[in-house]
Amino acid sequence: MEAGPGLEQDESEDLLDEVPDVTPLRATGLSMLTGQTIIAVVYDSDISINYDPLVGNLQGENLGVVAFEVLNVTERTDGSDSDLPSVNIRILEYAAVEALGLNLFSNAPTPESSSEPEDTTPPETIPDIELSPAE
């Protein structure tokens, strides 16, 4: 991955504020990733999300990228009833997956707010994931 205009070229992170469609995943969205190979940017702290319209602020320190496969998503039974499910992953060698074509998770369920809907239990029937080529 390469930085585009305004990213790392002039030390500005202006293009990383108010990024549209940064969608936090809950139980259904996480379940839809089962069996998928994921490449993710790892941030040093939480990123902030606004919900109306859905935009994220991706500014700030990141620690790099990680590749992993989502093995399964199960209901969490050891916390509060508002906790997200447990997600089991297998960490992969980034070099082994970086040549794969990058795709975006294009039909992730869109939450209305930070707490609605309360989607904390993986569904019995998991919707099919839709992927679109990253451009």
Side-chain angles (χ1 to χ4, degrees):
M1 295 184 207
E2 295 181 22
L7 304 178
E8 302 237 353
Q9 294 180 7
D10 64 3
E11 310 245 348
S12 171
E13 293 185 329
D14 292 347
L15 296 177
L16 295 176
D17 189 17
E18 297 186 10
V19 177
D21 300 321
V22 175
T23 306
L25 299 180
R26 303 223 173 104
T28 300
L30 292 168
S31 296
M32 292 168 72
L33 294 177
T34 301
Q36 298 292 318
T37 298
I38 310 296
I39 296 175
V41 177
V42 179
Y43 279 82
D44 187 37
S45 61
D46 292 343
I47 62 170
S48 64
I49 302 290
N50 291 322
Y51 290 87
D52 190 20
L54 186 61
V55 294
N57 182 332
L58 303 178
Q59 295 173 326
E61 187 72 24
N62 69 64
L63 304 175
V65 294
V66 64
F68 59 92
E69 177 186 3
V70 177
L71 301 175
N72 60 49
V73 179
T74 57
E75 183 175 4
R76 189 174 201 159
T77 58
D78 61 347
S80 78
D81 59 357
S82 63
D83 285 344
L84 290 172
S86 294
V87 180
N88 293 314
I89 64 171
R90 176 183 298 124
I91 302 294
L92 303 172
E93 290 288 333
Y94 178 73
V97 299
E98 69 179 322
L100 298 175
L102 293 178
N103 293 291
L104 302 174
F105 184 1
S106 58
N107 68 325
T110 305
E112 299 167 24
S113 72
S114 61
S115 58
E116 295 294 328
E118 192 173 305
D119 179 14
T120 58
T121 303
E124 290 184 27
T125 303
I126 301 169
D128 290 333
I129 191 170
E130 294 177 15
L131 302 173
S132 58
E135 297 176 19

